[in-house]
Amino acid sequence: MRALTRRDFLSASAIALGAGATAALAEEATRVVVHRSATCGCCKAWAAKLRTAGFAVEVIDEPDMKAVKARLGVPPALASCHTAEVAGYVIEGHTPVTSIQKLLAEKPKATGLAVPGMPMGSPGMEMGEQKDVYEVVLFGPSGQSVYGKFEGDKAI
């Protein structure tokens, strides 16, 4: 067995450092682009929840949210105040972070998720103690189905 040379050590160290850099890149935050009307404050609160959960969030103020929703395929019946894009999916409204994480883990064939309207107590819509019960809807060319049911930000 030969002794470890300085060159062997430096070579092995460089390989290990490269592997560490690759692992760090793999753990890089998932990017979310949030489209919102400049006058809507709850959208900023929802985006803050995504940031807290580790997403890299970009917020874009849009002059015509109806056009954004139409371009991204959000059915009018599922519309809310903001629309986001993440990993090829559309996220409409005050969708809980846990539902987005589940979507990204499961990768169903769908356009995305929606929480229609603006349910009180949903993420970004916390105002006092009122917490509506609401559904997260999975939607796409194959139709719509309930993806989760929540009261506030808690699954029920």
Side-chain angles (χ1 to χ4, degrees):
M1 177 178 217
R2 77 178 174 90
L4 183 66
T5 67
R6 183 172 187 262
R7 179 176 292 193
D8 292 335
F9 176 77
L10 291 174
S11 178
S13 296
I15 291 169
L17 286 173
T22 301
L25 286 175
E27 293 179 17
E28 196 171 294
T30 301
R31 184 170 183 257
V32 180
V33 177
V34 179
H35 304 276
R36 73 174 199 111
S37 168
T39 60
C40 187
C42 64
C43 304
K44 285 184 179 179
W46 183 74
K49 291 195 175 291
L50 293 175
R51 284 187 186 99
T52 299
F55 289 94
V57 180
E58 175 186 357
V59 177
I60 300 174
D61 292 343
E62 299 283 358
D64 185 358
M65 283 302 298
K66 284 185 181 182
V68 171
K69 292 173 191 311
R71 175 176 59 84
L72 295 175
V74 178
L78 298 180
S80 183
C81 57
H82 56 265
T83 306
E85 298 174 85
V86 58
Y89 289 105
V90 175
I91 308 296
E92 180 68 12
H94 295 272
T95 304
V97 170
T98 55
S99 292
I100 298 168
Q101 292 166 331
K102 178 181 170 187
L103 176 81
L104 296 177
E106 292 179 349
K107 296 179 176 62
K109 290 188 179 197
T111 302
L113 298 175
V115 171
M118 299 170 72
M120 294 300 296
S122 62
M125 287 294 296
E126 298 92 347
M127 296 177 197
E129 297 299 314
Q130 183 179 346
K131 294 180 181 172
D132 294 339
V133 173
Y134 61 94
E135 294 177 339
V136 175
V137 178
L138 180 73
F139 68 96
S142 299
Q144 300 175 11
S145 62
V146 175
Y147 200 66
K149 193 170 185 177
F150 288 79
E151 181 173 16
D153 65 349
K154 304 288 185 233
I156 55 173

